[in-house]
Amino acid sequence: MWIKPVTLTGNHVTIRPMEVEDIEELYAAAQYEGIWDYMPMRIDSLEDMKTLVHQALTSREKGAEFPFVIYDHKQKQLVGSTRFLDISEKDRHLEIGWTWLTPSVWRSPVNTECKYLLFQHCFEELETIRVQLKTDGRNKRSQVAIERIGGVREGVLRKSRLTYTGYVRDTVYFSVLESEWPGVKKKLERKLA
């Protein structure tokens, strides 16, 4: 498999492969209403988190996704999760998505450094050509965050997904290309300095 287990460490966070042992700590970080508004599922119980983690790990075994957990150095605990999705070694592209963070790290350097570490790994180690990000059309906070870290808005797939609530969402697509990475890297390094 093109994507190998890797641990990425910065000044604020460590990103490492998700494991079954992370369930309880992830559940503790997931206890906030606003996290799940635009996600593919809602976490209301420890059983829900077990389902999320087991589905993610099964997808990893199949080579379809690669889930990570995010450890915050300041809080000394897991504060969320992210994944590589839509992985194509042949086309040298993938998506960074399924990212959720506990509100205590919203508007902090945590998400910026996570994306920096993941982009750096994608472009400098995996030699990807394109890294994609996407979000629910209603999620303006996420769209602003993706643009702030250097994602280029590509367009909207209208009525592309049925959410767990029954709502049919529009999906907004963004990307960073290998030719754009040097500029995005400098921008992120300035934000993290």
Side-chain angles (χ1 to χ4, degrees):
M1 189 171 149
W2 182 40
I3 309 297
K4 304 274 191 254
V6 64
T7 297
L8 308 171
T9 302
N11 293 323
H12 304 282
V13 298
T14 295
I15 302 168
R16 64 165 175 76
M18 179 185 285
E19 299 300 339
V20 171
E21 295 77 25
D22 298 321
I23 290 171
E24 289 188 15
E25 197 169 351
L26 285 172
Y27 179 62
Q31 298 305 299
Y32 301 92
E33 195 72 21
I35 294 173
W36 308 104
D37 291 348
Y38 306 110
M39 297 301 287
M41 68 182 288
R42 180 177 188 80
I43 302 300
D44 288 321
S45 67
L46 185 59
E47 285 304 311
D48 291 340
M49 184 57 74
K50 286 179 184 175
T51 298
L52 183 154
V53 170
H54 286 293
Q55 286 174 349
L57 296 179
T58 299
S59 291
R60 179 172 73 193
E61 288 171 20
K62 294 177 181 177
E65 299 179 1
F66 199 96
F68 297 94
V69 293
I70 302 163
Y71 178 84
D72 179 35
H73 297 169
K74 186 176 180 182
Q75 295 186 42
K76 298 186 182 343
Q77 63 188 8
L78 297 183
V79 293
S81 179
T82 192
R83 300 183 196 181
F84 289 152
L85 312 147
D86 193 20
I87 300 165
S88 174
E89 181 176 7
K90 177 181 77 70
D91 297 315
R92 291 177 40 212
H93 75 74
L94 55 77
E95 175 181 326
I96 297 171
W98 243 109
T99 304
W100 64 269
L101 294 165
T102 197
S104 65
V105 298
W106 291 0
R107 293 177 198 82
S108 78
V110 167
N111 188 48
T112 302
E113 189 169 69
C114 282
K115 294 306 187 287
Y116 173 81
L117 293 169
L118 292 166
F119 282 145
Q120 184 177 45
H121 180 67
C122 289
F123 291 114
E124 297 178 16
E125 300 300 323
L126 300 176
E127 299 180 343
T128 55
I129 294 171
R130 177 179 190 276
V131 175
Q132 167 180 296
L133 303 101
K134 68 179 186 266
T135 189
D136 189 306
R138 299 168 295 168
N139 193 345
K140 303 303 181 195
R141 185 176 59 81
S142 180
Q143 291 172 50
V144 168
I146 293 169
E147 288 177 332
R148 186 181 59 79
I149 61 165
V152 175
R153 185 183 173 109
E154 294 183 325
V156 178
L157 285 183
R158 300 177 302 152
K159 304 291 183 197
S160 67
R161 289 177 180 258
L162 187 63
T163 68
Y164 68 88
T165 65
Y167 180 81
V168 183
R169 83 174 209 184
D170 295 339
T171 302
V172 184
Y173 280 80
F174 297 82
S175 68
V176 176
L177 305 179
E178 66 177 337
S179 59
E180 297 164 342
W181 169 237
V184 170
K185 182 178 184 177
K186 286 180 185 167
K187 179 179 181 178
L188 292 174
E189 286 174 346
R190 281 194 303 271
K191 287 183 181 303
L192 292 167

